[in-house]
Amino acid sequence: DFIFPIGEGTSVSAFCHELEDVTSVVPSFSGNFARAYVDGSLQISGESSVDFTNAVYYQFENDEGKTLTYRFSLVCGNGLPIMEIDTADEPILNKENYVTAQFVIRNMNEAGEFHMPGKIRLRGNATSGYPKKPYKIKFDSKVSPFGFPENKDWALLAEYSDKSLLRNTWMVEISRAAELEYTIHYHPLEVWLNGKYIGVYTLTDHVEKKKNRVQLDDDGFFIQNDNAYQAEPLSFLTS
């Protein structure tokens, strides 16, 4: 069994570790209402089955005809930590404009659960145009998920071009084993956005000159090697 705890707000989620098939879940419910509907279909407690693959919207109605709608998300995991991102259904459209969001990371073992408000936008040049989008996250205050050095800024890499989801993390481990001067921190996650499962991502440092990130001298700089150089204020080509 799993329980949807209803508190403040109308977005509610429950977490289950091992349930594989959520296409025919039969919820039991009770409360101060007369009828419940999903997509206009009357729901009977303990009888009506619902597909919880994505978020489900329940409309509760009292005898006077007044209604209240809740969004229920059933989040299931396979052992990886799970990040839930709730933007109140506001779309994340580009790399320039952040969208306000609530973040939860579950299934973190001894670290417990992580709750933090913040904001999110797209990131990446070519990768931002792929079907599986990468994201830049800025939390409202400094955090240290998984014991990483605390910071506000983090990246969610989609790894869309790497079907193994392992090439970047493999190189990070080589960097760490070789004791290179700077190696990013990372952790794989399963990510749910507004009640919809969007895949396995990698949570990493946002690479920048900052305490607990890249240590550069005052006259130090980054070199970025890619095909999006035209958009940069300073760029050059070589043979």
Side-chain angles (χ1 to χ4, degrees):
D1 290 342
F2 45 87
I3 299 174
F4 287 100
I6 298 180
E8 296 183 1
T10 56
S11 293
V12 190
S13 63
F15 176 72
C16 58
H17 285 276
E18 299 178 352
L19 190 63
E20 295 180 358
D21 183 4
V22 296
T23 59
S24 186
V25 176
V26 180
S28 297
F29 48 84
S30 62
N32 296 322
F33 56 90
R35 290 164 293 277
Y37 299 90
V38 172
D39 295 331
S41 176
L42 181 66
Q43 302 295 296
I44 307 301
S45 176
E47 297 182 15
S48 302
S49 64
V50 181
D51 183 355
F52 273 93
T53 304
N54 295 315
V56 176
Y57 291 82
Y58 270 82
Q59 185 179 65
F60 299 103
E61 182 181 72
N62 65 13
D63 287 329
E64 286 74 40
K66 294 182 179 180
T67 62
L68 182 62
T69 300
Y70 281 89
R71 185 185 73 189
F72 293 91
S73 302
L74 180 57
V75 181
C76 300
N78 61 11
L80 287 177
I82 287 175
M83 173 178 276
E84 296 176 58
I85 306 170
D86 186 355
T87 69
D89 292 329
E90 184 175 351
I92 305 167
L93 298 176
N94 54 53
K95 298 187 293 182
E96 287 73 39
N97 301 306
Y98 278 99
V99 174
T100 301
Q102 295 289 329
F103 299 86
V104 179
I105 303 180
R106 306 181 188 274
N107 200 21
M108 298 176 68
N109 300 323
E110 67 278 357
E113 288 192 358
F114 168 95
H115 296 257
M116 178 62 65
K119 49 191 179 181
I120 185 171
R121 63 169 173 80
L122 295 181
R123 73 178 299 278
N125 293 318
T127 55
S128 63
Y130 293 160
K132 186 183 178 187
K133 307 296 185 184
Y135 298 102
K136 166 75 184 304
I137 294 173
K138 182 181 286 291
F139 294 115
D140 286 355
S141 58
K142 292 182 178 181
V143 297
S144 56
F146 305 103
F148 299 160
E150 65 177 14
N151 210 294
K152 288 184 177 181
D153 297 295
W154 302 87
L156 270 180
L157 303 182
E159 315 283 20
Y160 179 76
S161 296
D162 174 15
K163 305 314 177 188
S164 74
L165 305 177
L166 291 172
R167 294 201 307 241
N168 276 331
T169 56
W170 170 241
M171 295 310 298
V172 171
E173 289 303 319
I174 292 177
S175 174
R176 181 170 290 115
E179 299 181 352
L180 298 184
E181 189 170 358
Y182 174 72
T183 302
I184 66 169
H185 302 85
Y186 76 93
H187 207 293
L189 300 165
E190 292 194 278
V191 179
W192 294 68
L193 176 61
N194 293 323
K196 182 179 181 180
Y197 179 69
I198 59 173
V200 175
Y201 279 70
T202 304
L203 178 70
T204 74
D205 300 338
H206 173 62
V207 180
E208 58 187 334
K209 176 185 177 183
K210 188 177 286 188
K211 182 182 179 181
N212 295 331
R213 293 280 164 89
V214 184
Q215 301 299 309
L216 290 178
D217 296 333
D218 290 340
D219 58 350
F221 54 88
F222 291 104
I223 293 179
Q224 177 173 309
N225 180 10
D226 65 18
N227 293 322
Y229 59 88
Q230 301 98 330
E232 298 297 332
L234 178 64
S235 65
F236 61 90
L237 293 173
T238 75
S239 59

